[in-house]
Amino acid sequence: MKGFLTVLGTLLIAMFLFGCQQSTGTDTPAVAVDNPENPYPPEEAIENGDVVDIFGEITNLDKFREFTKNFDAGVTDEIRITFYTVEGDPVFYNLNYDGNKIHYTYDDSQDGYASSDKGTQSTTCTEMTSKNTDLGIEYSLNDCSSSDIGKTYYFVIPE
């Protein structure tokens, strides 16, 4: 009986400690994101309507332009931008605009060379800005509830 109580006590303490851990970078209630499972080849991403970026070669760019137009007009919209790493792993940028804020989710969980804290992180931002650079038109998110997560969004349309 004493052994049973010891095991039960240990389990309860472990459950309490794991239950009190902080979330992995989500600072706001996230909009549900249903990213595809690995493997997710670029051809499938393109067919699914993702904006796909493979080393600056962008497919379905019209969907991104439509999203920015809707953002400027205050019209709800959502897109997924899928970047592919040198190794061919997908990294997802999900943007869900509710007419007021962009709910942004960054997901590098399928990147085999991502840092040890890889996974899904979310934030909410009120601004998306663009500027001309030597590389092309650079888009970024600003006024985010978590500036660290907001900084993970970087999208350039080469000219």
Side-chain angles (χ1 to χ4, degrees):
M1 182 69 160
K2 187 175 184 179
F4 172 75
L5 291 176
T6 302
V7 170
L8 180 63
T10 304
L11 285 174
L12 288 173
I13 290 171
M15 287 173 43
F16 174 77
L17 291 175
F18 285 116
C20 291
Q21 289 183 343
Q22 293 181 347
S23 66
T24 59
T26 302
D27 64 351
T28 59
V31 172
V33 174
D34 188 23
N35 288 328
E37 296 294 322
N38 204 9
Y40 188 57
E43 300 79 21
E44 185 178 348
I46 292 166
E47 187 176 303
N48 287 342
D50 294 17
V51 176
V52 176
D53 186 342
I54 304 173
F55 311 118
E57 187 176 320
I58 302 171
T59 309
N60 291 335
L61 187 55
D62 57 316
K63 294 184 183 300
F64 180 77
R65 289 191 171 118
E66 183 70 21
F67 180 84
T68 60
K69 188 185 304 182
N70 287 337
F71 175 77
D72 291 339
V75 176
T76 62
D77 199 357
E78 63 182 283
I79 60 169
R80 176 173 50 225
I81 301 171
T82 305
F83 287 91
Y84 283 89
T85 66
V86 173
E87 298 80 22
D89 298 330
V91 176
F92 303 105
Y93 291 3
N94 299 84
L95 302 170
N96 185 311
Y97 180 59
D98 66 8
N100 187 33
K101 296 180 180 180
I102 294 176
H103 302 272
Y104 166 61
T105 302
Y106 173 78
D107 179 359
D108 65 350
S109 61
Q110 296 181 33
D111 182 358
Y113 288 92
S115 65
S116 61
D117 64 345
K118 71 180 179 179
T120 302
Q121 301 180 41
S122 297
T123 191
T124 302
C125 307
T126 59
E127 295 179 4
M128 181 170 57
T129 58
S130 64
K131 67 179 178 180
N132 291 319
T133 67
D134 292 340
L135 299 174
I137 302 171
E138 177 184 308
Y139 290 86
S140 59
L141 296 174
N142 300 301
D143 195 23
C144 300
S145 55
S146 169
S147 61
D148 289 342
I149 297 169
K151 289 177 187 175
T152 63
Y153 179 79
Y154 176 80
F155 187 62
V156 176
I157 299 174
E159 291 188 357

